[in-house]
Amino acid sequence: RLELRGSGPALKPLDPQPQAEAAGDEQPQPQAEEEKGPSLDPEEFLAVLYLKSFEVMEAEVTRCSEELETVQDAAEKETLQSRVEELRTGVQILTTQVESGTLSLDDYLDGLKKAIRRDRILAAALQRSGMSDYAKLVQGWVDTMVKEFIEAKEGDDSELKEDEAAEPVEPRPQPAPISAAQALADAKAIKEGIEAVNLAMDIPEVDVVQEEDVEDDTGDDAG
């Protein structure tokens, strides 16, 4: 059984898309998730807000409901129940958005296409990382979305074949821990850099932090 570790952020209705900004007022867009590489944290990709497909959400409702029939642990049961409720709410939100025109069918399919490419990369990264159960789950989502997309496009899968040939993106590397010695060396290097700039610009040195019993490496320059 997959470990859900919580069902991710609480689901909330999505606001309608804002009107386009006037020319010259465009704001820089954040880097796309697929450009950064997939996160291998189940808390992220199991979150209901991560899912972009009616069919995948309904498949997850079925899977979690079946697990509820066999699970014994009270905490795990509560997590599964919460996830089922959020998934059902997600389906209702998507349905309302499409029916109200807030989300057009073309926009929905465009989001589905991006999710297919994103999750193909994620499934491969999970498999390489030894997380085979999660890889199988995510690959199942991909298969479901591909079928949903092709049916909506009346059998045309040419767009998906273009994405399938795209070069995969590696998962984001985890930052290496910094030792106390390295942090001290970095701080010293930054301080020396600032002093060099101040000296070049003839800016008098100002002591921001007074430190006792610490040797002053710039003492010769002070006089």
Side-chain angles (χ1 to χ4, degrees):
R1 181 181 294 118
L2 294 174
E3 183 182 357
L4 294 181
R5 292 165 51 188
S7 56
L11 189 67
K12 59 182 179 180
L14 303 178
D15 294 328
Q17 295 294 325
Q19 297 294 326
E21 299 287 344
D25 294 336
E26 295 183 359
Q27 299 297 321
Q29 297 297 319
Q31 189 178 20
E33 179 70 18
E34 61 187 35
E35 292 178 2
K36 295 188 294 183
S39 168
L40 303 186
D41 183 0
E43 286 281 359
E44 293 190 28
F45 63 77
L46 287 178
V48 175
L49 288 175
Y50 177 91
L51 305 178
K52 306 299 180 185
S53 161
F54 286 108
E55 299 293 338
V56 169
M57 288 186 185
E58 290 177 348
E60 281 292 283
V61 168
T62 299
R63 182 181 69 82
C64 293
S65 297
E66 290 175 351
E67 286 194 17
L68 272 171
E69 297 178 359
T70 60
V71 70
Q72 300 297 323
D73 182 74
E76 187 175 357
K77 184 183 288 290
E78 183 178 356
T79 297
L80 284 167
Q81 289 173 335
S82 176
R83 180 168 176 78
V84 168
E85 291 173 2
E86 289 185 6
L87 287 162
R88 286 174 175 161
T89 302
V91 171
Q92 292 174 357
I93 290 174
L94 276 177
T95 301
T96 300
Q97 287 180 324
V98 172
E99 290 180 349
S100 67
T102 303
L103 180 67
S104 69
L105 179 59
D106 285 343
D107 287 340
Y108 172 76
L109 292 178
D110 184 59
L112 199 62
K113 177 182 173 183
K114 292 177 180 177
I116 290 170
R117 181 176 188 275
R118 175 198 66 187
D119 288 349
R120 276 177 173 155
I121 295 170
L122 174 59
L126 288 167
Q127 188 66 44
R128 288 194 300 269
S129 299
M131 304 169 70
S132 57
D133 287 342
Y134 286 118
K136 182 178 179 181
L137 174 68
V138 175
Q139 184 58 49
W141 296 351
V142 171
D143 296 341
T144 298
M145 288 188 289
V146 166
K147 181 179 179 181
E148 182 181 3
F149 186 91
I150 293 175
E151 287 178 352
K153 288 288 187 177
E154 299 180 349
D156 182 7
D157 63 349
S158 58
E159 294 181 44
L160 298 182
K161 287 183 177 179
E162 293 175 2
D163 278 351
E164 192 172 3
E167 184 176 352
V169 179
E170 292 297 324
R172 286 172 281 178
Q174 297 297 322
I178 300 176
S179 66
Q182 183 61 49
L184 183 61
D186 290 345
K188 183 177 180 181
I190 293 172
K191 179 182 178 183
E192 291 175 351
I194 293 173
E195 291 173 351
V197 171
N198 290 345
L199 184 62
M201 299 180 66
D202 197 22
I203 299 175
E205 182 179 351
V206 177
D207 291 330
V208 178
V209 179
Q210 298 295 333
E211 297 183 354
E212 296 181 3
D213 301 328
V214 177
E215 182 179 354
D216 186 356
D217 294 337
T218 62
D220 295 336
D221 295 334

